[in-house]
Amino acid sequence: MSKKGLSLEEKKKKMLEIFHEAKEFYTLKEMEKIAPKTKGIVQQSVKDVLTDLQGDSLVQFDKIGTSNYFWSFPSAAGASKQAALNKEKGELATVQAKVEEAQKALRDAEKGREDSDTRRDLLARLAAARKTHESLKKELEAHGAADPVKFAEKRRAVESAKEASLRWTDNSMILFKVAKDTMGADASDLRQYLEICE
């Protein structure tokens, strides 16, 4: 039976042990040599494990000159976990405050809505009024063109059109008179030219 390889979590734990035991800085090449010999981590997975540890903020990384250095100290891991814990506690306190505020608003909203005979009577009257309103609304929609509001709008539109036609007729007569007085044109010739009947 062949030996099974290390899981990612086991590799991460063993990689951290290298850093915490030696308390040194390492380049990627140094880690690729040390990790397989001391902890049994396959050389091809060293870079992936280091990248994953960086993502978890358990290993620090810095580029100095042309070299990349990695390090991790036990106190740094504890500090990052403490910072994460403090952040989560702050978020928890914020959420709890919002929950308490919502509960208070709910209690305030429920005041005056206690179940009573008067409240039940008012709610029944409200439901009846809404039902009547809906039935009247449907009846009004059924009338369609005979709707008094629509009829009034049409009447206003007709009046407006009538006023506009009278205004244009007056303007046309004024135009004919001015043309006759200033240019000596005949009104019937102008009507024929503009295609305006009597």
Side-chain angles (χ1 to χ4, degrees), residues 34-50:
I34 296 169
K37 290 179 185 173
T38 59
K39 300 297 180 178
I41 300 171
V42 180
Q43 182 179 358
Q44 290 82 0
S45 67
V46 169
K47 185 175 182 181
D48 294 333
V49 173
L50 275 173

Side-chain angles (χ1 to χ4, degrees), residues 107-146:
R107 285 191 299 273
D108 290 345
E110 287 175 344
K111 287 180 183 173
R113 295 184 181 192
E114 294 82 15
D115 194 30
S116 66
D117 292 337
T118 307
R119 180 172 167 74
R120 281 192 295 272
D121 181 47
L122 289 172
L123 287 173
R125 288 175 52 194
L126 176 63
R130 284 184 176 159
K131 191 174 180 182
T132 304
H133 177 263
E134 285 301 315
S135 67
L136 290 173
K137 194 173 174 184
K138 286 179 183 174
E139 186 179 331
L140 186 62
E141 288 172 2
H143 289 295

Side-chain angles (χ1 to χ4, degrees), residues 25-136:
F25 296 83
Y26 296 104
T27 63
L28 179 59
K29 287 186 178 186
E30 291 172 338
M31 286 303 292
E32 287 175 341
K33 290 179 184 173
I34 296 169
K37 290 179 185 173
T38 59
K39 300 297 180 178
I41 300 171
V42 180
Q43 182 179 358
Q44 290 82 0
S45 67
V46 169
K47 185 175 182 181
D48 294 333
V49 173
L50 275 173
T51 303
D52 204 50
L53 286 169
Q54 276 181 265
D56 294 342
S57 298
L58 296 173
V59 169
Q60 307 302 314
F61 160 81
D62 202 3
K63 185 175 180 107
I64 302 172
T66 58
S67 301
N68 296 327
Y69 288 94
F70 299 90
W71 71 91
S72 176
F73 299 116
S75 61
S80 67
K81 287 181 181 178
Q82 186 63 43
L85 177 65
N86 290 342
K87 180 183 174 194
E88 295 299 323
K89 282 182 179 177
E91 289 178 8
L92 177 64
T94 303
V95 169
Q96 285 176 338
K98 287 181 181 177
V99 167
E100 287 177 18
E101 186 178 316
Q103 287 175 340
K104 183 182 181 299
L106 178 64
R107 285 191 299 273
D108 290 345
E110 287 175 344
K111 287 180 183 173
R113 295 184 181 192
E114 294 82 15
D115 194 30
S116 66
D117 292 337
T118 307
R119 180 172 167 74
R120 281 192 295 272
D121 181 47
L122 289 172
L123 287 173
R125 288 175 52 194
L126 176 63
R130 284 184 176 159
K131 191 174 180 182
T132 304
H133 177 263
E134 285 301 315
S135 67
L136 290 173

Side-chain angles (χ1 to χ4, degrees), residues 175-194 198:
L175 174 69
F176 293 148
K177 183 168 179 14
V178 168
K180 183 179 176 185
D181 292 346
T182 58
M183 293 185 277
D186 186 30
S188 61
D189 291 340
L190 277 174
R191 277 200 174 91
Q192 187 177 2
Y193 179 73
L194 295 174
E198 283 287 339

Side-chain angles (χ1 to χ4, degrees), residues 151-163:
F151 185 74
E153 287 175 6
K154 285 181 182 179
R155 177 173 276 171
R156 281 192 296 272
V158 166
E159 289 296 324
S160 175
K162 185 177 175 183
E163 288 173 11

